[in-house]
Amino acid sequence: MKNTEQAVLELIEIAGLKEKDILVVGCSSSEIVGKKIGTSSAMSAARAVYDAMAPILSKNGIYLAAQCCEHLNRALILEEEAAFSYGYEVVSVVPQPHAGGSFATTVYEHMKSPVAVEEIRAKAGMDIGDTLIGMHLKRVAVPVRLSITRIGEANLVCARTRPKFIGGERAIYRGEQR
C-alpha cells in the first residue's frame, strides 16, 4: 500500500522519530475494507499495511507497537527487546483475528520475538480506522496532518508527542515553540 509507506515516512520526519523510538499503530482492517470496525477482520488488508510499514521502521530502527482490539483491552504487541529496553511488563496473550485484531495478529506472526504488554508511552502514533490509540502516547500529544488522510477506506489520524511546557510565562523552552 503506497499510501501507507508515504504516511509512515511523513510521520517519521514530522515527529522526529529516531532509532529505538516507539511508533504505536492501531489498525482496523475492517475499516480499511469499508466495513464497520470490528465486523469484518481482513488479514490481507492487515498484511498489506504491515508489509508497507515494517521495512521502513526496520531501516530506521524504530520499534513498532501494534495495538490490539478492545477484546484484549487494547494491549500491545512489540518486540521483546523493546519491552525489556523500556521496562514494560510482559503479559501472556497471543492475538487472533477476532480477539486482538488482524493487524496485531499479523505483527505477532512476523516479529522475531513478539510479546504483549498492557501499556506503553510511545513517541508517535498512527491510528488507522479510529482505533483510539491515545492512551498509548506520551504526554503531550500533538496532532500531525499528513498528505495521506485514508488507508483504504479507513480514516488516518496521526500524532507526535512533545515534552510538557512548565514554568509559566518567564520560562524558556528548548526545541518547541508554543
Side-chain angles (χ1 to χ4, degrees):
M1 292 190 136
K2 199 72 168 165
N3 55 353
T4 302
E5 292 174 9
Q6 183 64 33
V8 170
L9 289 168
E10 286 181 30
L11 184 57
I12 288 170
E13 182 179 342
I14 293 168
L17 294 178
K18 297 178 177 62
E19 188 174 354
K20 307 284 185 196
D21 283 340
I22 297 176
L23 172 65
V24 62
V25 176
C27 177
S28 169
S29 62
S30 298
E31 291 279 335
I32 290 172
V33 299
K35 305 290 184 186
K36 182 181 170 194
I37 191 168
T39 63
S40 293
S41 197
M43 290 296 290
S44 60
R47 178 67 189 261
V49 170
Y50 175 79
D51 286 348
M53 68 175 49
I56 297 167
L57 297 176
S58 179
K59 177 184 172 190
N60 287 283
I62 297 167
Y63 293 123
L64 170 61
Q67 179 181 267
C68 295
C69 73
E70 65 180 295
H71 297 98
L72 296 185
N73 298 323
R74 306 220 189 279
L76 301 120
I77 305 302
L78 70 161
E79 287 287 2
E80 184 177 39
E81 171 189 314
F84 177 76
S85 174
Y86 279 88
Y88 297 141
E89 183 177 352
V90 173
V91 296
S92 183
V93 71
V94 175
Q96 303 299 310
H98 299 288
S102 293
F103 184 71
T105 300
T106 299
V107 170
Y108 190 92
E109 291 172 350
H110 288 88
M111 284 187 164
K112 294 177 202 160
S113 185
V115 296
V117 300
E118 289 186 285
E119 59 186 344
I120 64 170
R121 290 288 173 240
K123 187 170 179 183
M126 181 174 279
D127 188 328
I128 304 168
D130 305 318
T131 62
L132 303 175
I133 61 164
M135 67 184 84
H136 298 303
L137 292 171
K138 290 181 180 183
R139 293 191 174 106
V140 171
V142 178
V144 171
R145 302 288 183 239
L146 304 179
S147 66
I148 305 298
T149 60
R150 298 182 88 66
I151 304 289
E153 297 297 313
N155 292 327
L156 175 63
V157 177
C158 295
R160 66 176 179 86
T161 60
R162 65 158 175 79
K164 294 178 186 179
F165 293 142
I166 64 169
E169 65 185 34
R170 290 190 256 172
I172 297 173
Y173 302 108
R174 222 176 90 191
E176 288 283 337
Q177 300 299 314
R178 292 183 122 182

